[in-house]
Amino acid sequence: MSQPIISFRDASKIFPGRGRRAEVRAVDGVTLDVAEGEIFGVIGYSGAGKSTLVRLVNALEKVTGGSVVVDGTDLTGLSEARLRGVRAGIGMIFQQFNLLSSRTVAGNVAYPLEVAGWSREKRRERVRELLDFVGIADKADVHPRQLSGGQKQRVGIARALATNPRILLADEATSALDPETTQDVLALLRRVNRELGITVVVITHEMDVVRAICDRVAVMEHGKVVELGDAYQVFSAPQHDVTRRFVSTALKDRPSPEVLARLRERHPGRIVTVGVDEVAGSSALITRTLREHGVDGTVVYGGITEVAERPYGSLTLELVAASPGVRPLPDGVAPADGVDAAVAALRRVTDVVDLGTAADPHEDPSVVRRGVGQAPDDGPGGEERRARVIGGPARQVGGGPFGGPSGMTGGNDLTTGIIDDGGKR
Amino acid sequence: MNLDWDRLGPLLWQAGGETAYMVLITLVVGGFLGLLLGLGLYLTRPGNLLQNRAVFAVLNVAINVVRPVPFLIFLVALGPLTRAVVGRTIGIEAFTFAMCFMATFVFARLVEQNLVSIDPGVVEAARAMGASPLRIVRTVLVPEALAPLILGYTFLFVGVLDMSAIAGYLGAGGLGDFAIVHGYRQYDWAVTFVVVVIIVAVVQVVQLLGNYLARRALHR
């Protein structure tokens, strides 16, 4: 990666306690780089510190430890007057839009231009251009009160882009919008990134947002970054429980224990969950493997979606040895062994979680449990399978710019182990 | 009802002028200083733009001390300061000074209460665009709270009118004094009644005007 446009180095923000209230470590030793021109996501539950983290970028909050460097300028210790200059070069949009109700749409968009000292004529011209870009040119003279949520956020985006910033910070920008409007606004953010080349930092608690637009992502919990990397990589091979919980909100592809119990009632055969992704586990490969071993696979559960525009998900199959009368078995394969052999073969092409049969059930090792960092080994399958969940790190996922805009690590000790694996993936 | 308008008319006219003098000066001076004091109180409040615990505490206590004092007593108690500033302790100028003083503190609290209700997100957005605190006061705080500020100012008008009657009775003249001297003391209820009607009518007109301006400021 070229020079990162934003870099945090061991950045901390501690709000001091007062009286009986304990101090809050909102951001706790975060080290990460945001590359110029990317869409970087910060995902976490509320209270994880992501909003504070993003406010360190435009110094609405100041670090209490470590440093934040934005576009080559170290913000630590800058005077308030200098910081105002930095802020003027960074756009920001908000969950509640934060438009001035005392001004019209055009007046709101003109606000940062007034701050920057643009002349009236230049302001008028620029405002028209911006409202055109976000597609609400007809609403210029309307007051924000009369707009829908999606329109308000478009005004927010136009306002944030007014002074041609190089960075746009989006703080839960779609959380107050309905799903359809969310997609519109996300598409607009993608355009901002692609057409204007603006680096976008997106704060969200919605997995769908990251899935739709983020190139890279940091997962936050308790003020720390617990996972960091390429969005596809992080979500196709989640290492941390928080990450797994987010993945499960976006795609309910894995049967819960309750669902699994019902599946076993209905399907007495061997139940396995296989990972599906763009290369290794394409469903064609899975189908072929089963056919080669004379095994019928019935899809009983599953889901496939896209992460970072690449397919990702899993299918849960009931595997039953095809009766010899229907299809001839390959030489030397006994019907009873067929399923075992097929499972072994599937393991060579994708990730497999063997859930056993109704008579001999295996627990799903990847069911998210608090305090369990890695899934335990769930039976035979060799060292290679250890701790591997669907999309686990041992899998070679081909293609794509993995490890790509690399600055993803830069020695972030918080994510050691996760990141070190990342390079080898 | 035997109103001697030939005699009372000019006196009433003069009383009205005195009241207008006191009320208008107080509204302008007290309104302006009250706005500044209220903004100061809001801005220095912990967590706000210019947070300063010491300044906030001083302003807050000062307002809490001044505001609850009954105006009649305040007027007398402020005597030494009035003498120092105006040169005398009675007369319309002296009492108008005291009214400005009280109105400033009353309006400061009204201003602060209305500013507190502004969404802090809007202030944060302005900060994020690089606006200075002074600009934020001018372009965000006052415009965003304009409607309630107008209503608060209208409310202040009624309070000031009330103060002017007390000041008038103590020697500043005005409508209150007129109602007492020419009405109450003469057992001439009609005169008192006429003054009351005039005051109610003026208050009604001002309130209607305030409501109208506030509604316009809300952009509804």
Side-chain angles (χ1 to χ4, degrees):
Chain A
M1 182 171 64
S2 56
Q3 180 85 357
I5 192 161
I6 302 169
S7 41
F8 295 91
R9 287 292 171 273
D10 200 25
S12 296
K13 175 67 182 183
I14 298 167
F15 294 102
R18 261 183 79 79
R20 244 178 293 170
R21 213 174 42 191
E23 67 167 29
V24 177
R25 305 176 77 84
V27 173
D28 194 357
V30 168
T31 294
L32 64 82
D33 287 329
V34 176
E36 175 143 28
E38 72 176 339
I39 302 187
F40 188 89
V42 179
I43 190 169
Y45 290 102
S46 59
K50 52 196 194 304
S51 275
T52 308
L53 182 76
V54 79
R55 279 164 176 73
L56 296 178
V57 175
N58 57 0
L60 288 178
E61 300 286 359
K62 289 173 193 157
V63 289
T64 51
S67 71
V68 181
V69 177
V70 176
D71 210 1
T73 308
D74 189 344
L75 304 188
T76 333
L78 279 193
S79 69
E80 187 63 21
R82 289 284 310 281
L83 288 176
R84 282 202 284 276
V86 172
R87 286 183 197 129
I90 301 174
M92 188 167 189
I93 56 175
F94 305 85
Q95 177 172 5
Q96 294 304 330
F97 323 120
N98 295 350
L99 302 178
L100 294 168
S101 61
S102 53
R103 290 175 171 232
T104 61
V105 166
N108 269 280
V109 177
Y111 190 91
L113 300 173
E114 290 168 24
V115 174
W118 289 40
S119 72
R120 187 180 292 270
E121 297 76 56
K122 284 180 68 186
R123 285 204 304 259
R124 195 167 17 221
E125 198 175 313
R126 178 73 177 141
V127 167
R128 192 172 321 131
E129 202 175 287
L130 287 159
L131 291 180
D132 260 343
F133 180 79
V134 300
I136 46 168
D138 55 322
K139 302 287 184 196
D141 299 322
V142 161
H143 278 274
R145 209 182 293 277
Q146 294 156 262
L147 299 179
S148 69
Q151 289 170 331
K152 283 181 190 166
Q153 197 56 287
R154 283 167 191 275
V155 179
I157 292 171
R159 181 175 70 172
L161 298 178
T163 52
N164 291 308
R166 295 180 63 198
I167 301 171
L168 175 64
L169 307 174
D171 183 17
E172 298 277 9
T174 59
S175 301
L177 305 175
D178 62 56
E180 197 176 324
T181 315
T182 293
Q183 291 309 317
D184 292 345
V185 169
L186 291 178
L188 180 56
L189 288 179
R190 204 182 298 123
R191 260 181 74 210
V192 167
N193 175 252
R194 302 255 164 95
E195 291 178 22
L196 308 177
I198 294 173
T199 307
V200 182
V201 179
V202 175
I203 301 296
T204 187
H205 65 271
E206 295 171 315
M207 177 66 198
D208 276 340
V209 171
V210 173
R211 204 162 59 80
I213 63 169
C214 292
D215 300 316
R216 290 197 309 132
V217 65
V219 183
M220 281 190 82
E221 190 183 35
H222 307 314
K224 296 175 191 290
V225 170
V226 296
E227 212 159 331
L228 175 68
D230 179 275
Y232 185 76
Q233 226 167 357
V234 166
F235 290 109
S236 61
Q239 301 294 307
H240 197 278
D241 274 354
V242 180
T243 320
R244 266 178 233 153
R245 261 179 276 153
F246 276 118
V247 170
S248 68
T249 60
L251 178 62
K252 305 215 180 302
D253 60 326
R254 310 288 303 275
S256 65
E258 298 76 33
V259 171
L260 187 56
R262 283 192 291 277
L263 288 178
R264 285 191 173 121
E265 276 173 30
R266 286 199 294 270
H267 305 282
R270 181 81 155 268
I271 292 176
V272 296
T273 297
V274 294
V276 175
D277 65 45
E278 61 179 338
V279 177
S282 77
S283 55
L285 202 53
I286 292 167
T287 313
R288 198 181 324 135
T289 305
L290 293 177
R291 191 167 55 231
E292 280 165 5
H293 291 81
V295 170
D296 283 343
T298 308
V299 176
V300 295
Y301 204 87
I304 298 169
T305 183
E306 273 196 325
V307 172
E309 302 182 350
R310 279 170 275 180
Y312 156 72
S314 72
L315 295 173
T316 297
L317 308 170
E318 181 195 26
L319 302 184
V320 179
S323 50
V326 176
R327 191 180 299 156
L329 284 171
D331 289 341
V333 175
D337 300 336
V339 172
D340 278 338
V343 171
L346 283 175
R347 287 194 199 288
R348 287 191 288 274
V349 298
T350 186
D351 300 305
V352 177
V353 175
D354 187 354
L355 299 168
T357 61
D360 176 23
H362 296 198
E363 206 186 324
D364 184 346
S366 61
V367 167
V368 174
R369 274 167 301 204
R370 281 180 189 279
V372 181
Q374 292 202 312
D377 191 353
D378 70 331
E383 190 60 23
E384 175 222 26
R385 273 189 72 249
R386 191 179 58 78
R388 197 197 320 165
V389 294
I390 291 300
R395 176 158 47 118
Q396 289 294 324
V397 183
F402 283 132
S406 66
M408 51 197 260
T409 56
N412 188 340
D413 56 352
L414 293 166
T415 53
T416 309
I418 298 165
I419 296 310
D420 289 354
D421 277 347
K424 289 180 232 141
R425 270 180 242 181
Chain B
M1 296 253 289
N2 57 338
L3 288 173
D4 182 2
W5 282 117
D6 285 345
R7 186 174 63 84
L8 290 178
L11 290 172
L12 181 63
W13 192 247
Q14 192 198 337
E18 285 159 357
T19 295
Y21 173 89
M22 288 188 276
V23 169
L24 290 179
I25 287 182
T26 303
L27 279 178
V28 170
V29 176
F32 179 70
L33 296 179
L35 182 64
L36 293 187
L37 191 59
L39 281 166
L41 194 61
Y42 172 80
L43 291 171
T44 56
R45 175 184 277 266
N48 283 2
L49 276 178
L50 303 174
Q51 59 173 321
N52 185 320
R53 209 169 281 281
V55 173
F56 176 76
V58 168
L59 295 181
N60 200 32
V61 168
I63 291 173
N64 283 346
V65 167
V66 171
R67 229 164 46 98
V69 180
F71 186 64
L72 182 62
I73 295 162
F74 179 79
L75 207 55
V76 178
L78 200 65
L81 184 62
T82 310
R83 184 189 296 281
V85 176
V86 186
R88 42 202 247 120
T89 56
I90 54 165
I92 191 164
E93 290 86 5
F95 291 146
T96 304
F97 170 75
M99 284 170 66
C100 290
F101 206 101
M102 179 58 104
T104 297
F105 283 78
V106 170
F107 193 48
R109 184 62 83 192
L110 287 172
V111 168
E112 185 225 6
Q113 283 170 356
N114 288 323
L115 293 177
V116 165
S117 66
I118 293 179
D119 176 7
V122 181
V123 176
E124 186 181 44
R127 282 186 68 209
M129 290 183 271
S132 65
L134 194 64
R135 180 185 286 274
I136 291 174
V137 167
R138 208 159 41 77
T139 60
V140 177
L141 294 180
V142 173
E144 288 293 300
L146 193 58
L149 286 178
I150 290 171
L151 292 176
Y153 198 63
T154 311
F155 183 85
L156 181 71
F157 169 78
V158 178
V160 170
L161 203 60
D162 195 20
M163 286 185 222
S164 81
I166 294 169
Y169 184 63
L170 287 181
L175 287 174
D177 183 52
F178 182 90
I180 299 283
V181 173
H182 300 286
Y184 179 70
R185 286 196 188 144
Q186 311 289 326
Y187 301 101
D188 192 343
W189 296 108
V191 170
T192 309
F193 185 70
V194 166
V195 173
V196 168
V197 168
I198 291 171
I199 289 174
V200 169
V202 170
V203 169
Q204 284 296 329
V205 168
V206 170
Q207 187 68 50
L208 281 174
L209 183 68
N211 289 350
Y212 169 75
L213 292 175
R215 203 169 328 114
R216 283 206 43 182
L218 273 182
H219 301 291
R220 276 195 175 133

